[in-house]
Amino acid sequence: MDRVKKLLKKHYGYSEFRKGQEETIESLINERDTLAIMPTGAGKSLCYQLPAMIYDGITIVISPLISLMKDQVDALNEAGINATYINSTLSYDEIDERLYMLQSGEYKLLYIAPERLVAPDFRQMMSHINISMIAIDEAHCVSQWGHDFRPSYASIAPLIAEMDKRPIVAAFTATATESVKLDILKLLNLNDPKVVITGFDRENLYLSVVKGRNKKDVILDYVSSHREDVGIIYCATRKEVDATYDLLMKKGYDVGRYHAGLTDEERKETQEAFIYDDIKIIVATNAFGMGIDKSNVRYVIHHNLPQNMEAYYQEAGRAGRDGEPSECILIFSPQDIMIQKFIIEQSIASQDRQNILYEKLQTMADYCHTSKCLREYILNYFGEEYEDETCDYCSNCKDDSELTDMTLEAQKIFSCIYRMDQRFGTTMVADVLKGSKNQKVLSQNFQELSTYGIMEEYAAKEIKAMMNGLIADEYLELEGNQYPVVRLKPRAIAVLKGKETVMRKMHKLAPKSEKDSELFTILKDLRKEISQREKVPPYIIFADSTLSDMSTYMPLNDRELIDIKGVGESKVKKYGAEFIKAIESYMKAKDIDPESRPNIHN
């Protein structure tokens, strides 16, 4: 581990590991199969990259994400570590050259897609090289219970079993429930594995849900007060991507769009413009972002409800990968549920798989309606207890509006559901409470119920919103998948008997973030110039958090610069002089005494 820590400082510029990294790395260098479940932005890739440098042989990294491969390889080469990838973007000649160099021992890491494992020529090549470790990224894809099941992952375990010398196997994922974790261990056939679960909490992310507001207004209000910030806006359909993109373009924002309806070249240009900070906002379907290791995304807005919590937390987690405060905003409307159900029906043939996804979608809807801490809700979903009563950093916990007692409304709703024999969905219950005269209500003689019309002062959609909140807070439950019926839970009986009160409150947006400092902006501009010259993304040169530390401590020589987190020896040699010169010029212009600088070691 002493050698590993020296490599960490030399190549990555860090003196300490993040939570879970040291435990994972130690397990791997002790030649033990390992499963690491760590949230997006926790530094999973470093957990196999450092052991790869210790091993004698090659580490093969299996990833479904072509964009991730190039991103990771560029970052490794910038840090002075020899790595390459083989995927469908390369010509046959390029692949042959890389395979030759691989067999010659030129590389320590090779990135491939799982589909390549079944190619006879590749399997033949693997038998001639010393493979020390196979690292499997996005390991949840092996499980049918996962949100992103991929049949190609089934070929991994049989391939490993056929190898003359079994390599160490490492599996990594950001999101896994208990059932998915057990599937990973079983289906990848991990041998006496060490399981490292660091916890799913991303403390730097402010979580918020916005309901009952026009989606366009929410987005325009937010981006207008965060013009200097980099952000991603996710939409459920191509049509909504195009409409949101056009709206922001007309308002003069630096914005791009990304969805499957665009050409490969259009998608590539947009992705690179975003990575290189040529545009600040990208509007996209969930086809964008997997494996994009862009560290300075300050906000992620979901224009629509995602299909499941795993996808939401992974997409939202693309904000704040550098550890700086960032925001995750979900804009909800009931129509979102119908859109996602339609997408599930059109894209999934298996009824069993559909049922799994319907259940996950309902969990996501409950998240939007819950009155409890949003952070607690997410952590509970992934099987983790949240010990604090409030996180003080989500829209539910930070909301300073007064709690409203809605016990009477809840009793009316529960009573109506009971009198309808708990056999109907929320729409029908809302119609009865509203006193609707539609044919479905009248054909069941529901107009004769004592609860018919007792909430006529409310709109039907308001009654449904109340019911959704009561479902999220576990007073009610839905049974069935595509067309669920609403039923009473024990908590509802306690309310009907007057033993429990029901309180609700509304949600707000997060407070506006602070502006960048002047020196931070100067260093960001310099980073941009260097990125264009070197033809690598700005965040590969230095993360925002590194520039922030530079602007705080103002290093004036190589020795001081290497004390900054994220500055390794390779980066000092390449870029140190330019950043030191910029800091010197700023201090001279502002007449800042070097002795007045804060001490980084305090």
Side-chain angles (χ1 to χ4, degrees), residues 155-225:
S155 63
I156 297 173
L159 171 74
I160 294 172
E162 291 174 9
M163 298 174 73
D164 293 335
K165 178 189 172 187
R166 187 184 185 277
I168 302 144
V169 181
F172 299 87
T173 184
T175 51
T177 58
E178 181 65 18
S179 59
V180 172
K181 183 192 81 172
L182 294 174
D183 258 5
I184 292 171
L185 295 171
K186 177 183 176 183
L187 298 173
L188 293 178
N189 197 23
L190 299 187
N191 181 22
D192 184 29
K194 169 82 171 178
V195 179
V196 180
I197 303 176
T198 63
F200 294 92
D201 193 9
R202 292 280 305 282
E203 294 178 356
N204 64 312
L205 299 184
Y206 183 96
L207 305 168
S208 63
V209 174
V210 180
K211 297 182 294 186
R213 286 189 60 193
N214 181 278
K215 292 175 184 274
K216 291 180 181 178
D217 290 344
V218 174
I219 290 171
L220 288 176
D221 286 350
Y222 188 86
V223 298
S224 67
S225 61

Side-chain angles (χ1 to χ4, degrees), residues 71 74-75 78 230 271-279 292-296 322 523-547 550 566 571 575 579:
D71 215 28
D74 284 347
E78 274 291 307
V230 174
Q271 181 168 300
E272 290 195 353
F274 184 66
I275 288 172
Y276 282 83
D277 286 349
D278 294 330
I279 56 176
I292 301 300
D293 190 18
K294 185 172 172 62
S295 62
N296 65 333
D322 54 7
L523 297 180
K524 272 201 345 184
D525 291 342
L526 172 60
R527 182 182 65 178
K528 177 67 175 172
E529 291 173 16
I530 295 172
S531 80
Q532 291 173 331
R533 181 184 77 213
E534 300 290 328
K535 295 182 170 55
V536 294
Y539 61 84
I540 282 181
I541 295 166
F542 289 124
D544 275 14
S545 54
T546 300
L547 297 188
M550 284 188 200
K571 301 257 178 105
Y575 314 123
F579 282 88

